[in-house]
Amino acid sequence: MSIEQSGQQPKVAPWGITRGERAAHEDLQPLKVSTRKNSVPLTRSALMRRFNQSFPPFYSQFVSSEVQAQNLRLAYTLYQTRKAVVQMQDEGRKTVVCLAYRNRPSLLSDLFGVFTAFNLSVHGIHLYGQIYSPHLVFIRTIVSRDGHSLSSQTKLSLERAIHECLAGVFRVHETLALEFDLKAGLKDVQVSFYFDPVFHLPTLLVDVDNQPGAFYRVMTALAQEDLTVVNLNLMLRRKQTRFIFYLLGPDSTPTMPEFLGQKLALSIQQRLQGDPA
């Protein structure tokens, strides 16, 4: 489970797939791709392997084939539309919000800012980001409002708000500043850095007390340090939440010097405690 340290990146199309790779449809059936001499079938497994090359090695090893196939379909929709893909479906009394887009440091801040503005409770999140170009990210978040799944009208409004926030039209920070004191420090904040020996990625561990706006504050603190998240574990407790962020280092590489990681951890902790560092 080690990440390739080679500086060479796999050659992929701008969106991770090519125009000929129509197998990204629902059935992902084998198809033919033209070559110089003849046509050869491109199987589902071959297409998946090509797509997975841009992710950390643990992605293809430990992420279920069902999730891999879903992400491939989202990538194909993203390739076709050239804009963020937002999909929602209910699971019991909760709603699953799926987002596919190009990764960037402000993405989680934008997404959780919208969730906070809509007064949504977050029950879980799965995030899978590519460490090589085109640096796509696939986020699956489980949310609810007042203990129930989202209404049809709320889903439409939420989807529109996500698109507008990503486009810079909906300035969610200004909206939240009217409701929360975003400059006030969070309680019992602990931030630490280490290089994960299993995922082989720079990692930030963030513990915060559960309080209104805490999720957005944490995501914004990371964005202010220009950090790109490629995997995220979320541990929810009654009074505290633990975030484990797996990151890309400077120049979008899966490495980060120890001294820089410790400096970033201290800076983020100071930001969350109310000191603008």
Side-chain angles (χ1 to χ4, degrees), residues 10-27:
K11 295 180 179 180
V12 294
W15 296 94
I17 52 180
T18 64
R19 287 185 179 274
E21 294 169 1
R22 303 290 178 176
H25 285 297
E26 291 294 328
D27 54 1

mmCIF file of all heavy atoms in Angstrom, residues 10-27:
data_model
loop_
_atom_site.group_PDB
_atom_site.id
_atom_site.type_symbol
_atom_site.label_atom_id
_atom_site.label_comp_id
_atom_site.label_asym_id
_atom_site.label_seq_id
_atom_site.Cartn_x
_atom_site.Cartn_y
_atom_site.Cartn_z
ATOM 1 N N PRO A 10 0.830 9.120 -14.711
ATOM 2 C CA PRO A 10 0.226 8.345 -15.774
ATOM 3 C C PRO A 10 -0.458 9.251 -16.780
ATOM 4 O O PRO A 10 -1.025 10.275 -16.422
ATOM 5 C CB PRO A 10 -0.804 7.473 -15.028
ATOM 6 C CG PRO A 10 -1.048 8.186 -13.745
ATOM 7 C CD PRO A 10 0.233 8.894 -13.409
ATOM 8 N N LYS A 11 -0.383 8.858 -18.025
ATOM 9 C CA LYS A 11 -0.995 9.667 -19.067
ATOM 10 C C LYS A 11 -2.487 9.381 -19.113
ATOM 11 O O LYS A 11 -2.916 8.264 -19.362
ATOM 12 C CB LYS A 11 -0.367 9.351 -20.419
ATOM 13 C CG LYS A 11 1.115 9.752 -20.493
ATOM 14 C CD LYS A 11 1.697 9.433 -21.849
ATOM 15 C CE LYS A 11 3.157 9.861 -21.918
ATOM 16 N NZ LYS A 11 3.743 9.546 -23.238
ATOM 17 N N VAL A 12 -3.296 10.408 -18.871
ATOM 18 C CA VAL A 12 -4.738 10.261 -18.890
ATOM 19 C C VAL A 12 -5.324 11.406 -19.687
ATOM 20 O O VAL A 12 -4.698 12.440 -19.894
ATOM 21 C CB VAL A 12 -5.328 10.274 -17.456
ATOM 22 C CG1 VAL A 12 -4.861 9.059 -16.686
ATOM 23 C CG2 VAL A 12 -4.922 11.543 -16.725
ATOM 24 N N ALA A 13 -6.554 11.197 -20.121
ATOM 25 C CA ALA A 13 -7.255 12.238 -20.855
ATOM 26 C C ALA A 13 -7.616 13.359 -19.900
ATOM 27 O O ALA A 13 -7.548 13.201 -18.685
ATOM 28 C CB ALA A 13 -8.517 11.656 -21.496
ATOM 29 N N PRO A 14 -8.014 14.542 -20.428
ATOM 30 C CA PRO A 14 -8.282 15.682 -19.548
ATOM 31 C C PRO A 14 -9.225 15.382 -18.406
ATOM 32 O O PRO A 14 -9.132 15.974 -17.357
ATOM 33 C CB PRO A 14 -8.862 16.717 -20.527
ATOM 34 C CG PRO A 14 -8.245 16.382 -21.830
ATOM 35 C CD PRO A 14 -8.123 14.890 -21.846
ATOM 36 N N TRP A 15 -10.170 14.471 -18.588
ATOM 37 C CA TRP A 15 -11.111 14.162 -17.519
ATOM 38 C C TRP A 15 -10.937 12.737 -17.018
ATOM 39 O O TRP A 15 -11.819 12.203 -16.377
ATOM 40 C CB TRP A 15 -12.543 14.383 -17.996
ATOM 41 C CG TRP A 15 -12.775 15.805 -18.313
ATOM 42 C CD1 TRP A 15 -12.666 16.394 -19.532
ATOM 43 C CD2 TRP A 15 -13.106 16.855 -17.414
ATOM 44 N NE1 TRP A 15 -12.917 17.741 -19.448
ATOM 45 C CE2 TRP A 15 -13.201 18.045 -18.160
ATOM 46 C CE3 TRP A 15 -13.341 16.905 -16.042
ATOM 47 C CZ2 TRP A 15 -13.512 19.256 -17.579
ATOM 48 C CZ3 TRP A 15 -13.657 18.115 -15.472
ATOM 49 C CH2 TRP A 15 -13.745 19.276 -16.242
ATOM 50 N N GLY A 16 -9.819 12.106 -17.326
ATOM 51 C CA GLY A 16 -9.564 10.783 -16.811
ATOM 52 C C GLY A 16 -10.081 9.682 -17.716
ATOM 53 O O GLY A 16 -9.846 8.508 -17.486
ATOM 54 N N ILE A 17 -10.845 10.032 -18.779
ATOM 55 C CA ILE A 17 -11.367 9.062 -19.717
ATOM 56 C C ILE A 17 -11.338 9.692 -21.093
ATOM 57 O O ILE A 17 -11.183 10.892 -21.238
ATOM 58 C CB ILE A 17 -12.820 8.648 -19.370
ATOM 59 C CG1 ILE A 17 -13.699 9.892 -19.202
ATOM 60 C CG2 ILE A 17 -12.869 7.796 -18.142
ATOM 61 C CD1 ILE A 17 -15.127 9.575 -18.872
ATOM 62 N N THR A 18 -11.464 8.889 -22.114
ATOM 63 C CA THR A 18 -11.444 9.404 -23.472
ATOM 64 C C THR A 18 -12.829 9.347 -24.069
ATOM 65 O O THR A 18 -13.730 8.692 -23.554
ATOM 66 C CB THR A 18 -10.490 8.577 -24.353
ATOM 67 O OG1 THR A 18 -10.986 7.245 -24.443
ATOM 68 C CG2 THR A 18 -9.090 8.566 -23.754
ATOM 69 N N ARG A 19 -12.972 10.047 -25.190
ATOM 70 C CA ARG A 19 -14.284 10.080 -25.837
ATOM 71 C C ARG A 19 -14.750 8.683 -26.216
ATOM 72 O O ARG A 19 -15.943 8.392 -26.205
ATOM 73 C CB ARG A 19 -14.223 10.949 -27.090
ATOM 74 C CG ARG A 19 -14.128 12.437 -26.792
ATOM 75 C CD ARG A 19 -14.197 13.235 -28.079
ATOM 76 N NE ARG A 19 -14.130 14.650 -27.822
ATOM 77 C CZ ARG A 19 -15.172 15.399 -27.525
ATOM 78 N NH1 ARG A 19 -16.360 14.858 -27.412
ATOM 79 N NH2 ARG A 19 -15.026 16.686 -27.317
ATOM 80 N N GLY A 20 -13.811 7.809 -26.585
ATOM 81 C CA GLY A 20 -14.200 6.474 -27.007
ATOM 82 C C GLY A 20 -14.652 5.589 -25.876
ATOM 83 O O GLY A 20 -15.256 4.544 -26.114
ATOM 84 N N GLU A 21 -14.374 5.994 -24.640
ATOM 85 C CA GLU A 21 -14.658 5.110 -23.527
ATOM 86 C C GLU A 21 -16.091 5.291 -23.034
ATOM 87 O O GLU A 21 -16.362 5.759 -21.943
ATOM 88 C CB GLU A 21 -13.640 5.341 -22.413
ATOM 89 C CG GLU A 21 -12.248 4.937 -22.847
ATOM 90 C CD GLU A 21 -11.198 5.404 -21.873
ATOM 91 O OE1 GLU A 21 -11.539 6.011 -20.857
ATOM 92 O OE2 GLU A 21 -10.027 5.174 -22.156
ATOM 93 N N ARG A 22 -17.037 4.884 -23.858
ATOM 94 C CA ARG A 22 -18.446 5.046 -23.538
ATOM 95 C C ARG A 22 -18.926 4.020 -22.531
ATOM 96 O O ARG A 22 -20.094 4.021 -22.157
ATOM 97 C CB ARG A 22 -19.277 4.910 -24.823
ATOM 98 C CG ARG A 22 -18.867 5.907 -25.901
ATOM 99 C CD ARG A 22 -19.250 7.318 -25.529
ATOM 100 N NE ARG A 22 -18.822 8.276 -26.530
ATOM 101 C CZ ARG A 22 -19.096 9.567 -26.485
ATOM 102 N NH1 ARG A 22 -19.777 10.063 -25.492
ATOM 103 N NH2 ARG A 22 -18.652 10.380 -27.429
ATOM 104 N N ALA A 23 -18.042 3.140 -22.083
ATOM 105 C CA ALA A 23 -18.441 2.125 -21.112
ATOM 106 C C ALA A 23 -18.777 2.711 -19.759
ATOM 107 O O ALA A 23 -19.170 2.001 -18.858
ATOM 108 C CB ALA A 23 -17.333 1.101 -20.947
ATOM 109 N N ALA A 24 -18.608 3.979 -19.593
ATOM 110 C CA ALA A 24 -18.919 4.588 -18.301
ATOM 111 C C ALA A 24 -20.411 4.728 -18.082
ATOM 112 O O ALA A 24 -20.835 5.248 -17.068
ATOM 113 C CB ALA A 24 -18.258 5.955 -18.201
ATOM 114 N N HIS A 25 -21.242 4.266 -19.016
ATOM 115 C CA HIS A 25 -22.681 4.267 -18.812
ATOM 116 C C HIS A 25 -23.045 3.274 -17.721
ATOM 117 O O HIS A 25 -22.203 2.528 -17.219
ATOM 118 C CB HIS A 25 -23.392 3.925 -20.121
ATOM 119 C CG HIS A 25 -23.376 5.075 -21.089
ATOM 120 N ND1 HIS A 25 -23.980 6.278 -20.835
ATOM 121 C CD2 HIS A 25 -22.801 5.197 -22.314
ATOM 122 C CE1 HIS A 25 -23.807 7.104 -21.862
ATOM 123 N NE2 HIS A 25 -23.078 6.469 -22.762
ATOM 124 N N GLU A 26 -24.310 3.210 -17.386
ATOM 125 C CA GLU A 26 -24.753 2.454 -16.234
ATOM 126 C C GLU A 26 -24.294 1.003 -16.272
ATOM 127 O O GLU A 26 -23.903 0.441 -15.267
ATOM 128 C CB GLU A 26 -26.291 2.502 -16.130
ATOM 129 C CG GLU A 26 -26.829 3.868 -15.769
ATOM 130 C CD GLU A 26 -26.427 4.290 -14.375
ATOM 131 O OE1 GLU A 26 -26.290 3.406 -13.506
ATOM 132 O OE2 GLU A 26 -26.233 5.478 -14.159
ATOM 133 N N ASP A 27 -24.364 0.344 -17.428
ATOM 134 C CA ASP A 27 -24.044 -1.073 -17.457
ATOM 135 C C ASP A 27 -22.548 -1.326 -17.572
ATOM 136 O O ASP A 27 -22.092 -2.431 -17.311
ATOM 137 C CB ASP A 27 -24.769 -1.756 -18.616
ATOM 138 C CG ASP A 27 -24.496 -1.094 -19.951
ATOM 139 O OD1 ASP A 27 -23.722 -0.108 -19.981
ATOM 140 O OD2 ASP A 27 -25.037 -1.569 -20.959
#
